[in-house]
């Protein structure tokens, strides 16, 4: 998206009949449609409040309908709004509310899991009813969706931002004045759309001056007294309405609907990688944003400059799209592979799931964590601004044999939370790259507790289980730990207000797994999972993982249904009224959600990230 080229105007188009007019020679008149708009040069908004109120109303009426309007008219047509994006934009996002391709059918299947949408035959009617209520509430019963918006709105919404203001950060007024942003709406009836905009702005007390620009009528509003950008709107090509600052509206008109966005290498690469129909798409020119951030921070003495080495780790661009499947919402991201970026470089099934108990409700795991941490440490050691910080870190790590000894033994590693009756248990599970190194570290930590923790009531003990040794570190009572924290300068806590239960950490280190858990029971469950039923062997989890990448460099999983079950169990003490309210107004809308899973996938040219939220 860097260096967008503004296309040459099509001399055959009707909009090219006139060259850009000089706005200074256009006599100010009132917006010509809608009797509520005041006429004459004396009619000016009192201040910025009126413009903001009008703009907010327009955005509210259009975007508040977006989430459900997605269902209305399936289409395979390419995006119309995309062609009107100014060439110098650094961020672009669109919502395909017209549902291209298979998205209408799939979204209908998805929504059928929720109350009120089971009967697909009456789907459009039900959606219109909901949208009418939303718009009526947002406009204080002045408008409805079916009467005021649907007649002109064609289902596509987009925004564009940029370029970033070049004014120094020490001049906020200049930065605000130079801000660039644009809202683009597809329309199907130009006359009705013009009438709606005029009446909506008029009801808000906003007046404007019509100007002819490149053969298109553009309504320009007075500059806000606060010094922000001067706003304008126009309907161009009979296809879109554009609302934003004057410079961005003019740039949108200049595109003639044939903007250069889709021709940029970043956009083309993103669309090629993110195949299939979608509901929304966004692409960001990361290079331009970083350059602007560096330029702005250079004007602030207190802001540390971004080093060149850090800058090289940021991809040139990033893109994301949202689509719906019959049983899931899917978000996919893509960005250029940065070879210098520390982290796991190999895609394979993360080993933590093979030791996570089958009752796992959440897992966050990464491949080759020790190697990744060492790479990051080596990278940050080269940063001059972090020299002093690393001296302190190294001093603390020397007690464990150094940073490399402390983390170098880690292989695939993750945090796991599992059900334990009506509660939860959890801890860290690592498939060691150096089993002996992990065992040495834990032995060192045990020695510290034995030598330094005796006076604080800390003890250690061992327990044999399934041919392995589980070590339990009893850290004393919660009251005792709170008192210790207070003596070390922590926040004062009245010990009598805390439970007298003991806090224990248990661990076991074998040649194949190292587990540090919240209790001996969790460690036992991990050892059992490695030899028997584990999360990796669960058919539901395996199917979910296959949707985001069976081979990956990291994964996240949340069992939404299980968490809801735990919450409902905890509501056993709730009053009858609270339980009834939950059962009738909350549960029906969250009960369909089943699970969330996400994974990252490394590529030779492009890296990708995938997230799926399923319903049942």
């Amino acid at each position: 998206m860097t260096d967008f080229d503004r296309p040459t105007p099509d001399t055959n188009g009707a909009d090219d009949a006139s060259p850009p007019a000089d706005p200074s020679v256009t006599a100010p008149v009132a917006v010509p449609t809608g009797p509520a708009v005041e006429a004459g040069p004396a009619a000016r908004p009192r201040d910025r409040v009126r413009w903001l109120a009008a703009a907010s109303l327009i955005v509210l009426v259009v975007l508040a309908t977006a989430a459900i309007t997605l269902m209305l008219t399936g289409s395979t047509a390419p995006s119309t709004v995309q062609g009107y994006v100014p060439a110098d934009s650094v961020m672009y996002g669109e919502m395909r509310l017209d549902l291209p391709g298979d998205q209408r059918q799939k979204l209908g299947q998805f929504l059928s899991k929720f109350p009120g949408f089971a009967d697909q035959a009456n789907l459009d009617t039900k959606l219109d009813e909901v949208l009418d209520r939303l718009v009526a509430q947002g406009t204080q019963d002045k408008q409805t969706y079916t009467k005021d918006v649907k007649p002109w709105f064609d289902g596509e919404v987009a925004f564009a931002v940029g370029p970033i203001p070049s004014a120094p950060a020490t001049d906020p007024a200049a930065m605000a004045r130079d801000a660039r942003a644009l809202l683009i709406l597809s329309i199907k009836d130009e006359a009705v759309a013009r009438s709606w905009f005029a009446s909506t702005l008029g009801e808000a007390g906003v007046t404007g001056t019509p100007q002819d620009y490149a053969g298109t009528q553009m309504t320009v509003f007075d500059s806000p007294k606060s010094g922000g950008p001067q706003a304008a709107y126009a309907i161009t090509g009979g296809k879109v309405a554009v609302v934003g600052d004057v410079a961005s509206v003019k740039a949108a008109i200049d595109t003639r609907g044939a903007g250069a966005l889709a021709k940029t290498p970043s956009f083309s690469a993103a669309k090629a990688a993110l195949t299939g129909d979608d509901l929304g798409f966004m692409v960001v020119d990361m290079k331009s944003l970083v350059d602007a951030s560096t330029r702005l921070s250079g004007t602030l003495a207190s802001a540390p400059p971004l080093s060149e080495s850090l800058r090289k780790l940021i991809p040139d661009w990033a893109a994301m799209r949202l689509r719906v499947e019959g049983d899931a919402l899917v978000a996919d991201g893509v960005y250029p592979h940065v070879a210098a970026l520390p982290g796991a470089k190999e895609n394979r099934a993360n080993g933590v799931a093979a030791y996570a108990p089958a009752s796992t409700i959440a897992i966050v795991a990464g491949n080759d964590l020790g190697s990744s941490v060492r790479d990051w440490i080596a990278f940050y050691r080269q940063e001059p601004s972090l020299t002093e910080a690393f001296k302190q870190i190294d001093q603390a790590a020397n007690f464990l044999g150094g940073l490399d000894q402390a983390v170098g033994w880690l292989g695939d590693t993750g945090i796991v939370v599992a059900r334990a009756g009506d509660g939860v248990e959890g801890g860290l599970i690592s498939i060691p790259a150096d089993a002996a190194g992990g065992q040495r570290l834990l032995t060192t930590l045990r020695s510290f507790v034995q030598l330094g923790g005796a006076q604080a009531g800390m003890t250690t003990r061992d327990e044999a289980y399934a041919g392995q040794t589980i070590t339990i570190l009893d850290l004393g009572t919660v009251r005792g730990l709170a008192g210790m924290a207070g003596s070390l300068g922590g926040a004062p806590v009245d010990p009598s207000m805390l439970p007298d239960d003991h806090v224990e950490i248990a661990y076991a280190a074998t040649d194949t797994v190292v587990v540090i858990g919240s209790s001996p029971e969790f460690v036992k469950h991990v050892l059992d999972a490695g030899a028997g039923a584990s999360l990796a062997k669960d058919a539901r989890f395996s199917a979910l993982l296959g949707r985001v990448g069976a081979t990956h460099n990291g994964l996240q999983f949340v069992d939404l249904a299980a968490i809801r079950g735990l919450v409902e169990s905890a509501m056993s003490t709730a009053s009858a009224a609270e339980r009834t309210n939950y059962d009738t107004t909350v549960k029906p809308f969250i009960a369909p959600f089943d699970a969330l899973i996400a994974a990252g996938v490394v590529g030779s040219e492009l890296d990708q990230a995938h997230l799926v939220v399923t319903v049942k």
Side-chain angles (χ1 to χ4, degrees):
M1 285 184 60
T2 309
D3 301 327
F4 289 131
D5 295 324
R6 181 166 295 176
T8 303
D10 182 1
T11 57
N12 294 323
D15 286 345
D16 298 324
S18 303
D22 183 356
S24 64
V25 301
T26 304
V29 295
V31 178
T33 53
V37 182
E38 301 170 3
R44 297 180 180 276
R46 294 186 178 88
D47 51 35
R48 192 184 185 190
V49 175
R50 285 187 173 183
W51 161 246
L52 288 176
S56 299
L57 181 59
I58 292 171
V59 172
L60 174 65
V61 170
V62 176
L63 297 186
T65 66
I68 308 178
T69 306
L70 297 173
M71 293 292 298
L72 295 181
T73 54
S75 171
T76 59
S79 170
T80 298
V81 293
Q82 190 182 106
Y84 291 86
V85 181
D88 51 4
S89 299
V90 298
M91 183 183 300
Y92 168 76
E94 68 181 28
M95 293 186 69
R96 290 301 304 269
L97 311 183
D98 57 341
L99 290 190
D102 63 359
Q103 289 299 279
R104 185 186 193 284
Q105 177 186 7
K106 290 184 177 296
L107 188 57
Q109 294 170 352
F110 180 86
L111 288 179
S112 69
K113 312 294 184 181
F114 296 86
F117 291 95
D119 186 0
Q120 297 293 290
N122 296 324
L123 183 60
D124 290 348
T125 300
K126 296 287 291 185
L127 291 173
D128 280 350
E129 291 174 356
V130 174
L131 291 171
D132 279 341
R133 288 197 298 268
L134 288 174
V135 174
Q137 291 173 2
T139 61
Q140 297 180 337
D141 293 323
K142 294 179 180 178
Q143 296 189 15
T144 64
Y145 173 75
T146 53
K147 179 173 68 71
D148 299 288
V149 179
K150 188 176 181 179
W152 62 266
F153 180 48
D154 204 27
E156 295 182 38
V157 180
F159 72 89
V161 177
I164 305 301
S166 58
T170 52
D171 188 355
M175 291 184 65
R177 184 185 62 248
D178 296 339
R180 295 279 302 276
L182 191 68
L183 178 68
I184 310 172
L185 310 169
S186 66
I187 63 174
K188 58 187 176 184
D189 191 315
E190 180 175 358
V192 176
R194 286 189 183 278
S195 177
W196 183 85
F197 271 90
S199 62
T200 299
L201 293 170
E203 289 176 4
V206 174
T207 58
T209 302
Q211 296 182 5
D212 180 81
Y213 179 76
T216 297
Q217 179 178 295
M218 179 178 66
T219 301
V220 179
F221 301 94
D222 291 345
S223 298
K225 295 181 179 179
S226 61
Q230 189 174 19
Y233 86 90
I235 294 179
T236 179
K239 297 180 179 180
V240 301
V242 290
V243 184
D245 63 276
V246 172
S248 293
V249 171
K250 288 182 177 180
I253 295 172
D254 287 340
T255 66
R256 305 297 183 196
L261 176 69
K263 302 174 185 177
T264 60
S266 57
F267 192 95
S268 299
K271 280 294 188 181
L274 303 175
T275 58
D277 301 308
D278 57 59
L279 304 180
F281 176 81
M282 183 171 72
V283 61
V284 181
D285 186 344
M286 300 294 293
K287 183 175 184 294
S288 293
L289 290 179
V290 171
D291 289 344
S293 175
T294 302
R295 183 176 66 252
L296 294 175
S297 65
T299 66
L300 298 174
S302 59
L306 183 68
S307 67
E308 185 60 25
S309 57
L310 282 172
R311 187 179 180 280
K312 289 180 179 179
L313 298 184
I314 300 173
D316 286 347
W317 55 269
M320 188 195 79
R321 63 96 176 265
L322 176 69
R323 59 191 175 89
V324 64
E325 297 179 354
D327 65 341
L329 289 174
V330 180
D332 301 304
V334 61
Y335 48 92
H337 178 72
V338 180
L341 186 68
K345 303 295 193 297
E346 179 186 1
N347 295 318
R348 52 181 173 76
N350 184 273
V352 173
Y355 284 89
S359 59
T360 294
I361 61 175
I363 180 172
V364 178
N367 294 2
D368 301 320
L369 183 62
S371 176
S372 298
V373 172
R374 283 187 296 182
D375 288 347
W376 278 109
I377 290 173
F379 173 81
Y380 279 118
R381 282 192 187 280
Q382 302 174 15
E383 288 295 309
S385 60
L386 298 177
T387 300
E388 291 302 318
F390 264 103
K391 287 182 180 179
Q392 299 179 26
I393 294 173
D394 287 335
Q395 290 175 359
N398 285 338
F399 289 101
L400 302 175
L403 276 173
D404 188 68
Q405 293 295 322
V407 301
W409 61 274
L410 294 165
D412 293 1
T413 304
I415 300 296
V416 174
V417 179
R419 294 191 307 274
D422 290 335
V424 296
E425 60 184 8
L428 179 143
I429 300 175
S430 181
I431 313 305
D434 177 7
Q439 293 165 2
R440 284 195 301 269
L441 176 66
L442 292 174
T443 299
T444 300
L445 291 174
R446 174 176 179 158
S447 298
F448 286 158
V449 172
Q450 290 176 324
L451 295 175
Q455 291 183 335
M458 299 182 184
T459 61
T460 64
R461 69 181 189 274
D462 291 330
E463 179 180 335
Y465 182 78
Q468 303 295 335
T469 298
I470 299 176
T471 298
I472 300 99
L473 307 180
D474 187 330
L475 304 182
T477 66
V478 177
R479 293 180 184 178
L481 291 174
M484 183 186 302
S487 65
L488 294 175
V493 177
D494 183 358
S496 64
M497 301 177 61
L498 299 174
D500 203 29
D501 298 333
H502 277 242
V503 177
E504 293 185 341
I505 296 176
Y507 69 81
T510 74
D511 291 340
T512 57
V513 66
V514 174
V515 52
I516 304 173
S518 58
S519 66
E521 287 70 27
F522 177 74
V523 176
K524 294 176 183 178
H525 294 156
V526 171
L527 296 176
D528 290 342
S534 68
L535 181 66
K537 295 179 181 179
D538 180 78
R540 171 171 168 254
F541 174 80
S542 297
L544 288 168
L545 192 58
R547 299 176 73 162
V548 295
T551 60
H552 42 263
N553 70 341
L555 68 93
Q556 301 84 43
F557 165 73
V558 179
D559 189 334
L560 300 175
I563 292 176
R564 177 177 57 80
L566 288 171
V567 171
E568 290 174 356
S569 296
M571 292 181 64
S572 59
T573 58
S575 67
E578 290 172 332
R579 183 72 192 197
T580 298
N581 180 67
Y582 171 79
D583 288 340
T584 57
T585 64
V586 178
K587 184 177 179 177
F589 297 95
I590 64 173
F593 288 103
D594 183 39
L596 177 153
I597 193 160
V601 180
V602 179
S604 58
E605 296 184 1
L606 297 175
D607 294 345
Q608 297 193 34
H610 308 287
L611 181 148
V612 174
V613 178
T614 59
V615 294
K616 59 180 181 180

